[in-house]
Amino acid sequence: MNLETASGFYRDIIGLREILREGRTVRLSANGKEPALIVLEGDPGALPRPVMAPGLFHTALLFPNRLELARTMRHVGEMGWKFQGFADHGVSEAVYLADAEGNGLELYRDRPRNEWPIGSSVDSSKDPNEVTMVTEPLDIAGLIAELADVPPSYEGIHPDAIVGHIHLQVSSLDKAKTFYHDLLGLEITQQTYPGALFLSADGYHHHVGLNVWNSLGVQLASVNSTGLISFGVQTISSRFEGIVERADAKDTPLSRIDRLTCQLKDPDEISLDLSVFQKKTASVR
């Protein structure tokens, strides 16, 4: 990773704020304070990860409201950065792009939960309790209209922005389901979207997305590749201990860092840093 190019994208194009720059590491967040949302680690010798290899599909930054999503979208456009797509998912409105090294990035805002489409309200054949995420055209004109009375100056991303979810491409949905659902205990929120599976905790539409659209049966990339190194998940103490116990019972490799932190690897060797909940955030690096 070219650290200067990568950090410049997240700082100048997206508007995240640097917390710390030390050696080959840059830590960034929405408010300029810990905990970091994005941690960049430079490695001049890293090889580009093949686009079909398991790993990161996109990191998703969640904005507190529609106006703040529109502000950042406008700034990205004014900086001349190319968008890759726009979508209305029913539960959310989303804008897609890639960072300076091709890592996918989603910028989105959630609709209120009482507006989320639920199974049978959309299709009588669906599970009545299943969140039904769709992919429809985004009302870009409506987003832009939010900015009618907003000055064009941009002081950075809203400080309440967080990592709302992470989306991974995996080699097998069945194996990934065993890890993220059976072991981690995430609830399946949608499994009817072709080639994809969505999971969450506490009724959210998804904290983890999984797909095999490009990566079905594809071998792992080289260890010395660009892309995602690990991502962090926080949970409450009782769930943390339950995960540790299930990992032990299933002989799943687990590295216990300390009493409140451990690291696991999913079936595609994607590292997950699991810790006991302290603040409502997540991070990727």
Side-chain angles (χ1 to χ4, degrees):
M1 170 183 284
N2 184 315
L3 191 58
E4 292 307 313
T5 302
S7 61
F9 168 81
Y10 285 101
R11 183 188 63 242
D12 302 332
I13 306 298
I14 302 302
L16 291 175
R17 299 163 177 89
E18 287 191 13
I19 306 167
L20 176 69
R21 178 180 289 259
E22 187 173 53
R24 292 183 176 179
T25 300
V26 176
R27 301 175 64 83
L28 304 105
S29 69
N31 61 9
K33 301 176 182 178
E34 293 286 0
L37 299 183
I38 302 286
V39 180
L40 303 173
E41 295 189 5
D43 182 355
L47 302 173
R49 179 175 68 92
V51 295
M52 297 179 68
L56 182 68
F57 190 66
H58 64 242
T59 302
L61 295 178
L62 173 61
F63 290 76
N65 54 56
R66 198 177 196 223
L67 172 62
E68 292 304 326
L69 171 61
R71 286 181 65 254
T72 296
M73 183 184 77
R74 177 174 67 181
H75 176 72
V76 171
E78 289 176 343
M79 294 293 288
W81 206 265
K82 291 184 178 180
F83 295 106
Q84 295 183 329
F86 306 87
D88 185 329
H89 293 303
V91 297
S92 62
E93 293 182 300
V95 176
Y96 295 94
L97 59 157
D99 72 11
E101 296 212 337
N103 298 298
L105 183 67
E106 175 184 345
L107 312 176
Y108 78 110
R109 74 97 182 182
D110 279 334
R111 286 192 169 91
R113 288 199 182 201
N114 61 7
E115 296 180 13
W116 293 359
I118 304 296
S120 56
S121 67
V122 177
D123 182 340
S124 60
S125 67
K126 292 183 178 294
D127 183 332
N129 298 312
E130 183 178 278
V131 176
T132 302
M133 289 175 280
V134 297
T135 300
E136 302 290 348
L138 179 66
D139 179 12
I140 298 175
L143 265 179
I144 294 173
E146 295 276 344
L147 300 168
D149 300 318
V150 178
S153 61
Y154 185 69
E155 302 301 327
I157 198 169
H158 193 281
D160 291 338
I162 62 171
V163 174
H165 66 266
I166 191 164
H167 196 143
L168 307 171
Q169 55 184 41
V170 298
S171 61
S172 166
L173 284 183
D174 287 339
K175 290 180 180 179
K177 178 181 176 182
T178 298
F179 180 85
Y180 289 97
H181 174 58
D182 298 348
L183 176 61
L184 293 189
L186 293 175
E187 304 156 357
I188 295 172
T189 55
Q190 184 167 349
Q191 55 185 337
T192 54
Y193 202 99
L197 182 66
F198 299 92
L199 309 99
S200 81
D202 304 321
Y204 191 57
H205 53 74
H206 71 295
H207 288 112
V208 174
L210 307 166
N211 78 68
V212 292
W213 299 327
N214 301 309
S215 52
L216 180 62
V218 176
Q219 293 183 344
L220 309 180
S222 165
V223 174
N224 188 34
S225 297
T226 58
L228 180 69
I229 297 175
S230 67
F231 69 99
V233 172
Q234 294 185 335
T235 187
I236 60 175
S237 178
S238 59
R239 289 180 181 175
F240 177 87
E241 294 302 333
I243 292 168
V244 172
E245 290 175 6
R246 288 193 294 274
D248 289 341
K250 296 176 182 292
D251 293 325
T252 301
L254 180 149
S255 299
R256 194 75 183 248
I257 309 303
D258 55 39
R259 185 174 59 87
L260 302 177
T261 312
C262 67
Q263 185 177 79
L264 304 93
K265 290 190 176 182
D266 78 0
D268 288 306
E269 298 294 313
I270 298 169
S271 293
L272 183 155
D273 300 317
L274 182 69
S275 60
V276 174
F277 178 89
Q278 295 178 5
K279 291 185 178 181
K280 190 176 182 180
T281 189
S283 66
V284 294
R285 60 182 180 142

